[in-house]
């Protein structure tokens, strides 16, 4: 089949011929059966090519994802995981936020801010635990210690490493001696339960108190004391303070002498003003302790 | 994408624009069939046929759009589905049987031709289908296939068609088609 005849057949089957051309071509076909047969074959081939292309395009269209955007949104596992992760993180974050807020309400220290003192050395007298044995004060050591006080009081107060369960409740007990017999050591005799062996006296519970101070211009002495740590805040530049510590089987009692006054240290994790000792008997006892050291 | 851009791209034979159009109006067009007792498969087939009519007319530059593409497609889908419903209602069991055999023969012949087309190279397949189905002229084929000029496209088309004819004639006699 020549190229010219091929073009004719193509035009005929594509409907590109004019009516006159069509008539002429059909007359030609009618005269020659082999030509008619060829034309019919060509029509089948052209239809086959059209069908082939159509099926190609339909396959292409079939392969298109027609899921609407809002449903395909849910069919993407990675996206779901991401959103789930964000949601969980949000819930946890919200929980922590509110839990943290409730914790803050329990601890009013959060609104107490004490400026860190100038790094400087403070010298003060410190009395190590007095050993009471057989009703007598065996020793009352006084040491001096230099302490760097460049840490914020707030840090001290909010020591996260100390849980509430770990805090040892300090219940001071004090046996008031007879004033009349204070001149001799009998007045300082402890009860039978207070009589301890030397080993017992050296238990870890008798560890020296860790003291930190902060110099302020306030005349009030503020303090915190828990878990063997004592924090003091006051104007100690001019007049040093003195710690008086008495250990017995009933527990540890701590007093502070400052500006000729005695103050009692009680266990507390809140920054409080030191309560002044007003009981004359206790003041007298502490005075004797100081003089006998 | 605006209608004018879609039409422009499709008229250049951009198949991605066809994909876009198909997805854009799928729900709208298939609803015509689905809401008139048609199945999802029938609806899809009607829409695809309508879209391919649009494709052919656009590529052949036979289309002068006086309305929105969606309106045009909607009218094609509606007419096609009416014809299909008419055909279904008119067909008697005898005619169905006769049509079945006619369709069977047609499918067989199509299968033979398709088998031979598959044996052609990729370039030949494209040149022949672009020419016979899409209705591209030689210049468009030359551009799309990146041939040097229209003569190259014309020669290529002639050779490919001759090869296909010979493949078909070699394997099957003319009587296989028309006995």
């Amino acid at each position: 089949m020549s190229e010219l005849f091929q073009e004719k057949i193509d035009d005929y089957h594509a409907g590109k011929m004019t009516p006159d051309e069509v008539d002429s071509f059909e007359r030609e076909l009618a005269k020659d059966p082999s030509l008619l047969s060829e034309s019919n074959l060509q029509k089948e081939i052209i239809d086959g090519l059209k069908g082939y292309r159509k099926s190609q395009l339909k396959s292409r269209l079939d392969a298109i994802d027609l899921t609407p955007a809002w449903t395909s949104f849910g069919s993407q596992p990675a996206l779901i995981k991401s959103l789930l992760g964000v949601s969980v993180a949000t819930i946890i974050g919200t929980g922590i936020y509110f839990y943290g807020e409730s914790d803050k309400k329990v601890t009013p220290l959060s609104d107490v801010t004490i400026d860190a003192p100038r790094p400087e050395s403070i010298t003060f007298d410190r009395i190590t635990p007095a050993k009471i044995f057989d009703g007598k004060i065996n020793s009352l050591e006084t040491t001096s210690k230099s302490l760097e006080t460049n840490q914020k009081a707030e840090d001290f107060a909010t020591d996260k490493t100390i849980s509430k369960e770990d805090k040892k409740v300090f219940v001071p007990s004090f046996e008031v001696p007879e004033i009349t017999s204070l001149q001799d050591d009998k007045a300082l005799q402890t009860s039978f339960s207070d009589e301890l062996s030397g080993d017992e006296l050296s238990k870890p519970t008798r560890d020296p108190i860790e003291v930190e101070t902060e110099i302020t211009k306030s005349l009030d002495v503020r303090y915190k004391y828990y878990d063997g740590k004592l924090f003091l805040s006051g104007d100690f530049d001019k007049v040093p303070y003195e710690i008086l510590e008495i250990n017995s089987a009933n527990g540890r009692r701590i007093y502070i002498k400052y500006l000729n006054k005695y103050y009692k240290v009680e266990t507390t994790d809140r920054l409080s003003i030191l309560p002044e000792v007003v009981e004359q008997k206790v003041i007298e006892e502490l005075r004797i302790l100081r003089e006998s050291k | 994408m605006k209608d004018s851009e879609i039409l422009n791209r499709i008229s250049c034979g951009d198949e991605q624009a066809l994909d876009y159009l198909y997805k854009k109006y799928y729900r709208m067009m298939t609803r015509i069939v689905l809401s008139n007792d048609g199945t999802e498969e029938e609806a899809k087939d009607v829409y695809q046929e309508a879209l391919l009519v649009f494709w052919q007319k656009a590529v052949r530059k036979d289309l002068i759009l006086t309305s929105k593409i969606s309106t045009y497609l909607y009218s094609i889908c509606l007419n096609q589905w009416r014809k299909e419903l008419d055909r279904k209602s008119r067909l008697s069991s005898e005619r169905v049987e006769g049509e079945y055999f006619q369709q069977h023969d047609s499918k067989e012949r199509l299968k033979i031709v398709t088998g031979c087309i598959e044996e052609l190279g990729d370039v030949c397949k494209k040149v022949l289908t672009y020419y016979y189905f899409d209705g591209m002229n030689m210049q468009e084929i030359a551009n799309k296939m990146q041939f040097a000029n229209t003569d190259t496209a014309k020669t290529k088309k002639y050779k490919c068609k001759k090869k296909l004819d010979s493949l078909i004639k070699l394997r099957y006699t003319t009587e296989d088609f028309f006995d």
Side-chain angles (χ1 to χ4, degrees):
Chain A
M1 187 169 52
S2 70
E3 192 171 350
L4 186 64
F5 185 68
Q6 176 72 64
E7 279 182 19
K8 260 190 171 182
I9 286 182
D10 287 346
D11 288 346
Y12 175 70
H13 291 298
K16 290 179 180 176
M17 285 181 169
T18 63
D20 290 343
E21 287 172 335
V22 171
D23 283 346
S24 172
F25 187 69
E26 284 180 349
R27 277 198 299 273
E28 203 176 334
L29 292 176
K31 287 177 191 172
D32 189 347
S34 64
L35 202 64
L36 178 66
S37 178
E38 181 65 29
S39 173
N40 289 336
L41 175 63
Q42 288 302 315
K43 187 178 184 312
E44 293 286 341
I45 293 171
I46 291 167
D47 286 346
L49 283 165
K50 285 181 178 176
Y52 183 81
R53 173 65 169 158
K54 189 184 269 190
S55 65
Q56 261 189 341
L57 287 171
K58 281 192 172 185
S59 298
R60 181 187 178 89
L61 296 175
D62 281 337
I64 295 172
D65 180 17
L66 292 165
T67 317
W70 63 271
T71 52
S72 64
F73 176 80
S75 65
Q76 296 177 28
L79 190 61
I80 289 174
K81 283 178 185 174
S82 300
L83 288 174
L84 203 62
V86 170
S87 304
V88 170
T90 306
I91 291 166
I92 291 170
T94 308
I96 289 170
Y97 175 78
F98 285 108
Y99 184 76
E101 284 294 307
S102 62
D103 276 358
K104 284 179 183 175
K105 287 172 187 172
V106 173
T107 312
L109 280 174
S110 58
D111 56 356
V112 177
T113 304
I114 299 170
D115 293 332
R118 298 182 306 278
E120 59 185 316
S121 295
I122 299 166
T123 305
F124 61 93
D125 292 330
R126 183 161 177 242
I127 301 169
T128 54
K131 293 179 181 176
I132 300 170
F133 187 66
D134 288 335
K136 294 179 182 178
I137 298 171
N138 291 335
S139 65
L140 193 61
E141 296 174 19
T142 303
T143 59
S144 295
K145 185 180 179 183
S146 294
L147 187 66
E148 291 292 321
T149 58
N150 58 349
Q151 187 182 355
K152 281 191 173 184
E154 194 170 335
D155 293 343
F156 180 85
T158 57
D159 188 353
K160 299 288 191 298
T161 58
I162 302 167
S163 64
K164 290 181 180 177
E165 288 77 17
D166 292 335
K167 291 176 185 174
K168 298 164 190 172
V169 179
F170 176 67
V171 183
S173 66
F174 192 81
E175 292 175 16
V176 182
E178 292 290 331
I179 296 175
T180 51
S181 58
L182 280 173
Q183 298 304 320
D184 56 13
D185 289 340
K186 287 179 182 177
L188 297 174
Q189 279 185 346
T190 57
S191 63
F192 179 75
S193 60
D194 284 342
E195 291 179 7
L196 301 169
S197 66
D199 290 337
E200 284 175 301
L201 286 170
S202 61
K203 281 182 179 177
T205 53
R206 301 292 183 258
D207 288 344
I209 302 166
E210 291 179 33
V211 183
E212 285 189 45
T213 56
E214 184 187 46
I215 309 300
T216 65
K217 296 297 178 188
S218 173
L219 292 175
D220 293 328
V221 178
R222 294 173 183 272
Y223 83 106
K224 288 178 193 176
Y225 175 64
Y226 60 88
D227 201 29
K229 295 177 180 178
L230 176 64
F231 172 77
L232 291 170
S233 170
D235 188 6
F236 306 125
D237 266 347
K238 295 172 185 174
V239 183
Y241 61 85
E242 186 177 332
I243 296 174
L244 300 170
E245 185 178 345
I246 300 173
N247 286 312
S248 70
N250 291 332
R252 170 185 280 176
R253 288 171 290 163
I254 301 166
Y255 296 90
I256 288 174
K257 181 180 179 295
Y258 179 65
L259 289 172
N260 296 321
K261 288 182 180 177
Y262 292 93
Y263 299 91
K264 187 174 184 183
V265 174
E266 293 177 329
T267 303
T268 177
D269 60 353
R270 302 176 63 174
L271 196 66
S272 313
I273 295 175
L274 269 174
E276 186 181 347
V277 177
V278 292
E279 294 173 44
Q280 287 304 316
K281 288 181 182 178
V282 180
I283 292 169
E284 188 60 25
E285 181 192 22
L286 292 169
R287 189 185 60 78
I288 292 168
L289 280 173
R290 286 188 69 242
E291 287 172 355
S292 63
K293 68 183 178 182
Chain B
M1 207 187 301
K2 289 180 179 177
D3 275 9
S4 56
E5 190 185 348
I6 294 170
L7 184 60
N8 188 43
R9 286 177 60 175
I10 286 179
S11 65
C12 295
D14 185 344
E15 292 177 10
Q16 288 183 340
L18 183 73
D19 297 347
Y20 171 83
L21 194 60
Y22 180 67
K23 192 170 182 176
K24 186 176 183 182
Y25 295 121
Y26 184 84
R27 290 291 157 205
M28 185 197 289
M29 300 304 160
T30 53
R31 202 179 297 126
I32 300 166
V33 176
L34 292 171
S35 59
N36 287 284
D37 304 324
T39 64
E40 181 76 36
E41 195 61 32
E42 286 172 325
K44 189 179 77 173
D45 196 51
V46 163
Y47 179 45
Q48 286 185 352
E49 288 287 342
L51 205 62
L52 293 182
V53 168
F54 177 81
W55 168 268
Q56 283 180 300
K57 284 187 176 295
V59 174
R60 290 174 187 182
K61 315 290 186 295
D62 286 345
L63 186 66
I64 299 168
L65 211 59
T66 55
S67 63
K68 289 167 71 178
I69 291 176
S70 59
T71 309
Y72 184 80
L73 287 173
Y74 192 89
S75 63
I76 299 175
C77 287
L78 201 60
N79 285 334
Q80 285 206 332
W81 185 237
R82 277 177 184 162
K83 281 181 189 173
E84 180 61 20
L85 289 176
D86 285 347
R87 190 187 66 84
K88 278 183 177 178
S89 63
R90 279 190 290 103
L91 286 177
S92 65
S93 60
E94 278 182 69
R95 293 181 68 177
V96 169
E97 198 173 291
E99 191 174 87
Y100 170 77
F101 285 116
Q102 200 177 347
Q103 282 183 349
H104 178 73
D105 286 348
S106 178
K107 281 181 182 175
E108 283 299 305
R109 291 196 293 272
L110 184 64
K111 198 174 174 183
I112 292 166
V113 175
T114 304
C116 293
I117 293 168
E118 291 284 6
E119 289 183 35
L120 295 174
D122 198 43
V123 173
C124 276
K125 282 179 197 169
K126 285 182 176 176
V127 169
L128 292 177
T129 54
Y130 289 163
Y131 181 81
Y132 287 105
F133 179 81
D134 295 37
M136 289 183 189
N137 58 38
M138 290 303 156
Q139 182 63 59
E140 289 168 332
I141 290 172
N143 292 340
K144 197 163 176 69
M145 299 298 291
Q146 296 180 329
F147 293 147
N149 48 47
T150 53
D151 287 340
T152 310
K154 200 174 178 180
T155 306
K156 196 77 184 171
K157 180 251 171 186
Y158 176 71
K159 285 184 178 176
C160 289
K161 182 65 173 52
K162 200 174 177 182
K163 188 179 180 183
L164 179 63
D165 289 352
S166 62
L167 273 174
I168 292 169
K169 287 174 182 173
L170 185 69
R171 295 193 182 181
Y172 309 101
T173 62
T174 310
E175 287 71 26
D176 287 329
F177 280 86
F178 303 108
D179 58 356

